[in-house]
């Protein structure tokens, strides 16, 4: 990408991350998500990598729903994590639908509906607010993928 395009991408990511802070005024506001698609080597991974240590961001090259629930579920529920950045989403495409379909479905749930309760063989996580009310834990996702992997 030309330098001005990378600057525009950087600005776009800043705006997307700012939508996560809107939750402070209304806990039911959904942070914006994005799938960034461009040519290989265009600079998308490096650009989103600049936000890896940003407050409210969980940056992970690869993460499973189990890891999100077990280690970060409470932080997402409290609003401490508002976005997950995945610099190379092709990791989820490479294994095929059988391997990664449930993970992609989980990502859709956490972005769209929010997660209220997860029951697995190894965990039972429920998002109960301080007032004893079930409230969906939501966050946005910013993911990057090359045009070749997307097709």
């Amino acid at each position: 990408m030309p330098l001005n395009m990378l600057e525009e991408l950087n600005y776009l990511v800043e705006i997307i991350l700012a939508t996560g802070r809107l939750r402070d005024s209304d806990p039911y506001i959904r942070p914006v998500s994005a799938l960034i698609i461009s040519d290989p080597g265009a600079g998308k991974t490096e650009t989103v990598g600049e936000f890896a240590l940003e407050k409210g961001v969980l940056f992970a090259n690869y993460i499973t729903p189990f890891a999100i629930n077990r280690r970060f579920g409470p932080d997402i529920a409290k609003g401490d994590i508002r976005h997950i950045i995945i610099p190379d989403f092709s990791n989820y495409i490479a294994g095929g639908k059988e391997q990664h379909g449930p993970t992609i479905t989980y990502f859709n749930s956490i972005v769209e509906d929010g997660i209220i309760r997860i029951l697995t063989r190894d965990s039972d996580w429920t998002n109960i607010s301080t007032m004893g009310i079930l409230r969906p834990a939501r966050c946005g996702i910013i993911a990057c993928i090359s045009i070749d992997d997307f097709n």
Side-chain angles (χ1 to χ4, degrees):
M1 275 187 227
L3 184 57
N4 59 350
M5 293 292 281
L6 290 177
E7 290 171 353
E8 289 178 13
L9 178 57
N10 189 291
Y11 183 63
L12 175 67
V13 173
E14 287 177 6
I15 291 170
I16 292 168
L17 293 178
T19 67
R21 293 188 288 277
L22 295 174
R23 180 181 167 153
D24 293 339
S25 60
D26 183 343
Y28 291 97
I29 289 179
R30 296 178 179 141
V32 171
S33 296
L35 179 61
I36 301 166
I37 306 167
S38 70
D39 292 327
K44 58 194 168 299
T45 301
E46 293 80 9
T47 301
V48 298
E50 294 174 18
F51 298 92
L53 300 177
E54 189 86 15
K55 183 179 178 186
V57 169
L58 170 60
F59 187 91
N61 291 72
Y62 188 85
I63 192 163
T64 64
F66 181 80
I68 293 171
N69 294 330
R70 187 64 129 351
R71 298 191 58 206
F72 304 106
D75 294 329
I76 292 170
K78 289 186 296 187
D80 292 342
I81 294 175
R82 297 160 190 230
H83 280 91
I84 299 171
I85 296 179
I86 302 169
D88 187 1
F89 201 70
S90 64
N91 293 327
Y92 295 96
I93 306 299
K97 190 173 186 177
E98 296 77 29
Q99 182 178 353
H100 294 298
T103 301
I104 294 171
T105 300
Y106 174 87
F107 288 154
N108 184 61
S109 293
I110 202 166
V111 167
E112 290 294 322
D113 305 318
I115 303 297
I116 292 176
R117 187 169 193 189
I118 298 288
L119 295 168
T120 67
R121 178 180 60 106
D122 299 315
S123 71
D124 179 356
W125 179 82
T126 304
N127 180 27
I128 301 176
S129 72
T130 55
M131 299 175 65
I133 300 168
L134 289 173
R135 193 176 97 193
R138 288 189 178 98
C139 70
I141 295 177
I142 300 172
C144 301
I145 192 167
S146 73
I147 189 77
D148 297 335
D149 289 334
F150 181 73
N151 289 330

